[in-house]
Structures are given as C-alpha cells and as structure tokens.
Amino acid sequence: MVPALRTLYNERFTNGKYQAFLDSLAREAGEAPAFRVAETPVFVPAALTSKLVQACEEIVEVILQPDFKTLTQDAIPPALKVPGENDHPHFLIIDFAVCRQENGELAPQLIELQGFPSLFAFQELMARQYRTHFDIPPTVDNFFNGLDGDSYFSLLQELIIGNHDPREVVLLEVAPHQQKTRVDFYCTQKRLGIAPVCITELAQEGAQLYYRHEGQQTRIRRIYNRVIFDDLVKQHALPGAYPDLFQDLDVEWITHPNWYYRISKYMLPMVHSSFAPKSWYLHTLPVIPQDLEHYVLKPLFSYAGQGVIIDVTAADIDRLKDPENWILQHKVQYAPVIYTPSGPAHCEIRMMYIWADGSPRPLLVHNLARISKGQLIGVSNNNRDTWVGGSCCFFER
C-alpha cells in the first residue's frame, strides 16, 4: 500500500528468498507453520496507520466505560461463566478490513475483536525474518510505542509470567500439539520458558492445579489461557479426563476466559465510529432492511468465521429460531490494495494490545495481517493461491 516500497519489494522478490524465509521460520520455531505464510508483508502508509490507531482507541474508550461489564453481562453464555473474573482483559485484538473511502483514501473498517491472545510470539519471529531475508527499510516498523524485540518480550514476560517461576506457568490449550496455531505455542515456549499443556495433563487437589514438569508434579499458579471454552464444552473425544475449569480454582488466568465473550462480536453494535460498519442485534431491529445484499449475518457465539452468512436473504432471517444470538452488520467492501505478481489482493490487519494489571488502558504493541484473493479472509481459505496467507505489517513511521 506504500507504492514505492511495494514496487521495490516485488522487483527484488525471488522464490529462493521466500523459501529461505520459510526455512528460517521453521528452523527457529521448531517446525513450519501449519498455515500458509504469505510471500510478502503489508506496507501500511502513515495516513492509514493514523486511522487504524484512532479506530482502536475509539473502541478502547467503549471498553473503558464504567458500566461496560453491565452492558456485556449477557455476552457470556451462562453455562460458560468462569468464577474469578478480573477488572479487564490482559489482551485485546482488533481486526480491520482495508477499504477505500468514496474520496479514494484508504481507511479501516472494523471486522471483529476479542479479549483473547493472538500469535504474539510468532508474529515477532515472522516480522524479524521478513527483515532478514527481504529489503525492509528502516522507515517502517512492525512495533508500536517505541518497542523493539527485546522490550516487547520483556513486556510479554512481565504480563504472562510476572514474578512466578516459569515452571509454575503453563500455556493451556485443548490438544495444543494438534492446533494450527501451535507454532506460536512453540515460539512462546522458547522465548518465555513456559510449556504448552493440554487440559488432559492437568491434575487437581482441592482448588489447586498441577501438571508434570520434567517428571515432577508441579503446582500451576498462572495459566496463559489459549482455551476457547465454547469449544471445550463440545469436546467428546479427548484422550483422558480433565478438571472442571468452570469452578473457582486457586490460579491466575492470563487472560480470564470470560473476556473472550465480553469483547467479541457482542460488542460490535456498541461501537459507533466512522471506522466501524453499523451493526444491530437482530432481535432489536424494528424493520428488516430491504437491501439485504449489503449486509452480513453473524452468529454471536461462533468463532473463526464459522456460521457467517455473507449473502443474506429474508428467508435466512426467518429461519433463525434465536435472533437474540445474531447480529446484522453492514457489509464491508475490501479493497484490492496489495499489488502482487499474481494479481491484486486484499487484506485484514489485526492490531494487538496488551493490558497489564494496574494500567489505566491497554498498550498497542504489535500486529498481524491476513492477505487474500478470495471472498473469505482466513488463512485456511487461501491455500490454492500465491501471495496470500498469514503475514504482518510494517507501518510507516
């Protein structure tokens, strides 16, 4: 999107450089990512960067409202509420489509947001390897707020591990070694020294949790949580029993599971911004719009794009038996702004925040990008094209 950088990058790109980049990713992470990594990063011009930051801060202001927990009390399905919720999430990720305004300028449009971690460790590795293998000038940066690789991981260590012994902190997931995001788990383990642990590896004594570390029964004092509890209750074939994580346990959650629901699609109708498409809870709509072709229908309690109806009809709405669990959102028109040797592509940009205990507001630290040439953005939907997949952004300083 920065024309001079895009042209130079495309001219100097070779498949040999790309393969060396992929090999370096796999070597340092311990294995190759289980998803496609794009041939290119995204170069974000300063004007768009400013709009992205503005959009994020407007969303943060919604979360900072004194009555935010009251406004989102119905966001958490009753069966999925976990005791011990803290004051705010430790992570915040906000996804935007890159679009064109009527005046031709680039602008973000909010797609989704979560109070949940993303690929915080792997994205640093990806950005660093792009710099190593391609011509990324010093005029652009993947970090925010003056951070670099060392200070970034210092913040993550303080947030995730704190004053605990790393052996007493685990990255918790359902079957972590089978997840598509496992490369991030391995990067996290290498950088912070915490092990990815399956919920079936947990043992419980009273309100305390344990796991075996190097053959020793080890107390868990803090959980870096990667479990999506909505998925957890759907698991029927896990090889082994596990503790009931919905009880009041003597453990710190980073971040607490309830925030995954409070900061989610449930929030979209609460965000009033020029960078957010209009959204409504379906059951509150007085009249169904006549121009449904300009809208998408999203289930509140389904994730990773599952269940989204892109080409909405009145019949789709009539069939719904639980309209209170759906939102109708004005359709976002992605712009084909990334020019690649195999055709133009569009992208989403994820802005990644951390929020330390005691801090008045979250801190923007890093980013993630997805590049696509199809109707669906997720990296799982772009395996047949080139110059698509997971990526990261470099923002003009």
Side-chain angles (χ1 to χ4, degrees), residues 315-336:
D316 291 324
I317 295 175
D318 291 340
R319 278 194 295 268
L320 296 178
K321 298 179 180 179
D322 56 343
E324 69 279 5
N325 292 329
W326 292 77
I327 61 170
L328 191 69
Q329 183 181 45
H330 204 273
K331 190 175 288 185
V332 170
Q333 187 64 48
Y334 291 76

Side-chain angles (χ1 to χ4, degrees), residues 74 281-283 298-302 320 322-327:
D74 294 330
Y281 302 113
L282 190 58
H283 71 293
K298 294 182 175 182
L300 285 177
F301 304 112
S302 179
L320 296 178
D322 56 343
E324 69 279 5
N325 292 329
W326 292 77
I327 61 170

